[in-house]
Structure formats: C-alpha cells, structure tokens
Amino acid sequence: MESLNGIGQVCGFDEDKFPRTHKFLESQHIRGTERLPSRWRSNNLVFRAFCEYEEYVVKKINNGEANGEIERVKLMRRTYPMITPRLFLIEGNDCYTMNYVEGKSFFNLSRDERVEKIAIAGRMLRQAYFGDGFAGTQRFIDISEKVRKGFERY
C-alpha cells in the first residue's frame, strides 16, 4: 500500500494540514496517485488516488475562493445527486474528496460533442428542477444563448 507522502511533498498536500483526508484515502488502501491538471485554476492541487476498490479525486483550492466553491459543490450534490460526483469528505474550508468519474474531459470533446452534452445536462436539470409539469406550469426563461457563449470561451 502506498501513502500520500510523495504527492504531499511535491504539491503541498501535507498530512498535518489534511489529516482526515490522508486517513480516509489510506483506509481505502491507496495504491497510487496521479496529479491532474486544473482546467479552471492552475494553482489548485487536483489529484486522482487509485485505491483498492474505488478511485477518488482530491481537490485543494489555493485561490482564496474555497468556501464559495465548496458550498456550490455541496449545493449541486444536494440538488442534482444523479449527475454530480459523490462527496466523501470536506476538510477545512479548502479541500474536498469525491469519487472519480471515468470518461473524457468535457474540454477534450469536439465542439459538437460539447453542445450535445450540454443539451443532455440541460434536459436533466430541467427535469430535476421542474419535474414532469415543466411545459405549462412554470415561467420559462431561455438562457441557452448565455450558456452557449459561456462554454464557447473554453
């Protein structure tokens, strides 16, 4: 079994600062780690932990916006549990652990594939938010253009 000491020494993920996260991953019989690039903020530490039965992603936020991000992640998980990764542990106000989801990065998809995935996510979110009665019972605000422009930046 491996420990996180190697990634901690290289990336600043020290056991004394994040003891619960270290203990959790080591209890899962960690076999290795891989640093993942952070698409949004390069100064964040994001790594994948390969464990005996499952793989995890640990994110340590290094930009001063940690509380806001963690609150948004918790809200997304509560609101849309079927389409967001499962949270296992939040430590302090700048580190969280979630399950690793296999697949391509959204940003490695072609433009057409990204549009298709956004459309699917939009339908799922609409269904989760409005239920079956969406068509005539709720006021509809079309934000598709704003969403499209937002994703075009990437």
Side-chain angles (χ1 to χ4, degrees):
M1 179 174 77
E2 226 178 270
S3 77
L4 292 174
N5 290 335
I7 203 153
Q9 292 168 353
V10 173
C11 306
F13 190 73
D14 302 317
E15 186 171 3
D16 60 328
K17 292 181 184 175
F18 303 99
R20 291 176 48 228
T21 303
H22 276 259
K23 187 174 181 173
F24 170 77
L25 291 173
E26 288 176 358
S27 76
Q28 300 301 304
H29 306 285
I30 192 165
R31 296 184 174 188
T33 58
E34 169 189 22
R35 185 159 186 180
L36 302 173
S38 177
R39 172 72 181 193
W40 303 105
R41 295 176 192 96
S42 60
N43 59 337
N44 289 342
L45 167 62
V46 183
F47 69 90
R48 179 178 176 184
F50 301 90
C51 297
E52 187 172 6
Y53 298 109
E54 191 162 354
E55 296 175 15
Y56 301 92
V57 172
V58 175
K59 183 171 185 181
K60 178 181 175 284
I61 306 160
N62 293 322
N63 67 352
E65 297 178 13
N67 248 352
E69 179 172 331
I70 288 176
E71 290 306 312
R72 287 189 300 271
V73 168
K74 288 177 6 186
L75 177 62
M76 287 293 293
R77 180 67 190 157
R78 277 193 312 267
T79 308
Y80 309 109
M82 299 303 291
I83 62 171
T84 54
R86 184 171 154 213
L87 289 172
F88 288 90
L89 179 68
I90 296 171
E91 186 162 19
N93 63 357
D94 62 350
C95 183
Y96 59 95
T97 303
M98 59 188 160
N99 63 313
Y100 176 79
V101 178
E102 189 69 43
K104 285 184 180 178
S105 166
F106 177 81
F107 301 102
N108 292 337
L109 300 173
S110 71
R111 180 182 169 91
D112 290 341
E113 289 172 312
R114 287 194 306 255
V115 168
E116 175 191 352
K117 302 306 180 198
I118 291 295
I120 291 168
R123 285 193 298 273
M124 293 176 77
L125 292 171
R126 182 175 59 203
Q127 177 65 31
Y129 186 75
F130 293 110
D132 292 328
F134 174 72
T137 60
Q138 301 289 335
R139 188 175 137 214
F140 178 69
I141 300 171
D142 185 2
I143 62 166
S144 58
E145 187 65 21
K146 288 181 181 179
V147 171
R148 186 183 61 76
K149 284 182 180 179
F151 278 96
E152 279 181 352
R153 293 189 328 235
Y154 304 101

